[in-house]
């Protein structure tokens, strides 16, 4: 099965600390890279984790708070200095377009590649982009400004040919593609060989969901059903739930509740408030609702 991994580059919240960096992740699917959020320090983290800049073609920004997008001008500038020539797509809420236009004009003139901005309606669930490997959807979140999460859904692969059965029925090579697409095989003497005798199903398509800054919002549960991994912000502990509501963030327990209700297979939480030097209590609160919750950390690699 092709690799589907997520690299956590930063999982802190707004106030910089020496413990965590600002939000950023890179999804690696079939050797294509997709970045989610780009806080300060992102390109340095890419160096540390040896992620190849040249393979990055899409950046998805959740919202216009600095800890999620201040690293973008530096990253684009560096891509230019590295001599990149393939186009770069930046996706995010409409307000991001003015920001992208301004830093391109001020700092990135003469780039050897084209930068395209794709506005995302953060208030709706919808397809943002797709290629041969993945479909990416926006998840409407509940924050102080327009904000969306992103759902990465691997494209379903074709069924696998059972070589022994194909040889037994002497299936011509020209028929194999039709069989992969679900067709039965008809022998020269008119017998119909069912498709399920000639193929076995491919592995189910994998799904990864990233829920950035958001207040507790059960409305997003249907969009997350059955995801293999859910990353959900857990900025606060329950003792600071009032502050969570005031700032439109979630507690670790609330993040775990969303994961449980969505039937997520695994949960990882992050975007920690700088007030917490010890994170074990956040994990304990999440574990009480969703056992096995993981705490994100810089350099973490999730395998789907």
């Amino acid at each position: 099965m092709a690799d589907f991994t997520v690299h956590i580059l930063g999982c802190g919240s707004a106030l910089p600390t020496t413990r965590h960096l600002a939000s950023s992740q890179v999804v690696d699917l079939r050797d294509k890279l997709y970045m989610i959020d780009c806080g300060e320090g992102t390109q340095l983290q890419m160096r540390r984790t040896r992620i190849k800049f040249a393979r990055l073609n899409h950046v998805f920004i959740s919202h216009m708070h600095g800890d999620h997008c201040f690293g973008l001008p530096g990253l684009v500038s560096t891509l230019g200095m590295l001599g990149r020539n393939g186009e770069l797509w930046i996706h995010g809420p409409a307000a991001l377009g003015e920001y992208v236009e301004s830093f391109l004009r001020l700092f990135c003139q003469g780039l050897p590649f084209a930068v395209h901005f794709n506005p995302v309606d953060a208030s709706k669930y919808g397809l943002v982009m797709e290629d041969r490997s993945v479909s990416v959807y926006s998840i409407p979140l509940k924050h102080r400004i327009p904000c969306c999460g992103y759902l990465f859904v691997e494209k379903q692969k074709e069924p696998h040919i059972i070589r022994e059965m194909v040889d037994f029925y002497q299936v011509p090579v020209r028929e194999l593609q039709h069989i992969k697409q679900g067709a039965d095989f008809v022998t020269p003497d008119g017998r119909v060989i069912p498709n399920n005798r000639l193929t076995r199903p491919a592995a189910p398509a994998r799904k990864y969901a990233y829920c950035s800054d958001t207040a507790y919002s059960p409305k997003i549960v249907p969009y997350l059903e059955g995801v293999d991994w859910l990353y959900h912000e857990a900025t606060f502990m329950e003792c600071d739930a009032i502050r969570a509501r005031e700032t439109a963030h979630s507690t670790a327990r609330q993040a775990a509740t969303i994961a449980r209700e969505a039937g997520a297979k695994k949960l990882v939480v992050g975007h920690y408030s700088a007030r917490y030097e010890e994170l074990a209590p956040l994990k304990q609160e999440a574990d009480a609702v969703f056992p096995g919750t993981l705490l994100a950390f810089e350099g973490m690699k999730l395998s789907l």
Side-chain angles (χ1 to χ4, degrees):
M1 183 178 295
D3 286 340
F4 189 163
T5 57
V6 179
H7 300 264
I8 308 293
L9 303 183
C11 55
S13 59
L15 188 64
T17 72
T18 57
R19 301 185 299 278
H20 296 289
L21 299 175
S23 294
S24 186
Q25 301 184 6
V26 168
V27 174
D28 185 340
L29 175 57
R30 302 178 192 172
D31 291 328
K32 296 179 182 178
L33 301 184
Y34 311 85
M35 179 175 288
I36 317 173
D37 280 339
C38 188
E40 292 178 84
T42 290
Q43 59 177 318
L44 292 177
Q45 285 294 89
M46 291 178 71
R47 291 288 192 193
R48 292 189 181 105
T49 53
R50 300 189 177 183
I51 293 174
K52 295 181 179 179
F53 286 69
R55 290 166 48 202
L56 178 65
N57 295 311
H58 293 272
V59 179
F60 300 86
I61 301 297
S62 61
H63 64 296
M64 285 294 291
H65 278 162
D67 55 325
H68 295 261
C69 62
F70 277 171
L72 197 52
L75 174 64
V76 174
S77 178
T78 295
L79 291 175
M81 288 188 286
L82 291 174
R84 177 196 181 88
N85 52 32
E87 61 186 12
L88 178 71
W89 283 88
I90 299 174
H91 313 265
L96 180 67
E98 183 178 350
Y99 175 56
V100 172
E101 181 182 348
S102 66
F103 75 66
L104 289 177
R105 183 180 69 255
L106 293 171
F107 304 113
C108 301
Q109 293 189 22
L111 288 175
F113 61 92
V115 177
H116 305 286
F117 174 65
N118 176 36
V120 176
D121 186 344
S123 67
K124 297 180 180 178
Y125 174 81
L127 181 67
V128 175
M129 66 78 62
E130 63 179 339
D131 57 24
R132 289 182 295 178
S133 300
V134 69
S135 298
V136 183
Y137 299 86
S138 58
I139 303 170
L141 300 178
K142 186 179 179 181
H143 199 41
R144 302 191 299 275
I145 63 173
C147 181
C148 63
Y150 291 101
L151 173 65
F152 289 74
V153 181
E154 179 185 30
K155 289 290 183 71
Q156 182 63 58
K157 296 180 182 178
E158 295 177 333
H160 300 292
I161 294 290
I162 303 175
R163 179 55 57 185
E164 296 81 0
M165 300 303 291
V166 166
D167 291 343
F168 179 79
Y169 289 107
Q170 298 182 333
V171 179
V173 173
R174 66 177 180 273
E175 297 292 333
L176 294 182
Q177 189 57 41
H178 298 298
I179 291 171
K180 284 184 178 182
Q181 294 171 355
D184 297 330
F185 172 63
V186 181
T187 66
D189 61 4
R191 286 183 300 151
V192 177
I193 310 302
N195 184 271
N196 60 12
R197 191 178 297 177
L198 302 171
T199 64
R200 62 176 182 273
R206 294 164 289 182
K207 297 189 289 184
Y208 174 69
Y210 172 91
C211 289
S212 179
D213 298 17
T214 182
Y216 177 62
S217 179
K219 291 182 179 180
I220 68 175
V221 166
Y223 310 131
L224 307 175
E225 288 185 358
V227 294
D228 294 272
W229 276 97
L230 168 62
Y231 175 93
H232 195 292
E233 74 121 290
T235 308
F236 294 103
M237 292 176 57
E238 283 298 310
C239 61
D240 294 310
I242 293 176
R243 183 59 178 161
R245 286 195 298 272
E246 291 173 346
T247 58
H249 283 294
S250 295
T251 67
R253 183 179 183 86
Q254 290 169 340
T257 301
I258 294 293
R260 183 189 64 193
E261 295 303 311
K265 296 175 184 176
K266 295 181 181 179
L267 170 66
V268 58
V269 296
H271 200 264
Y272 315 115
S273 168
R275 71 188 63 199
Y276 305 124
E277 294 192 9
E278 295 294 330
L279 300 179
L282 278 84
K283 175 173 170 55
Q284 292 171 359
E285 290 189 354
D287 275 338
V289 177
F290 193 94
T293 297
L294 297 181
L295 296 173
F297 59 86
E298 283 72 12
M300 186 181 206
K301 184 176 178 180
L302 310 176
S303 297
L304 278 72

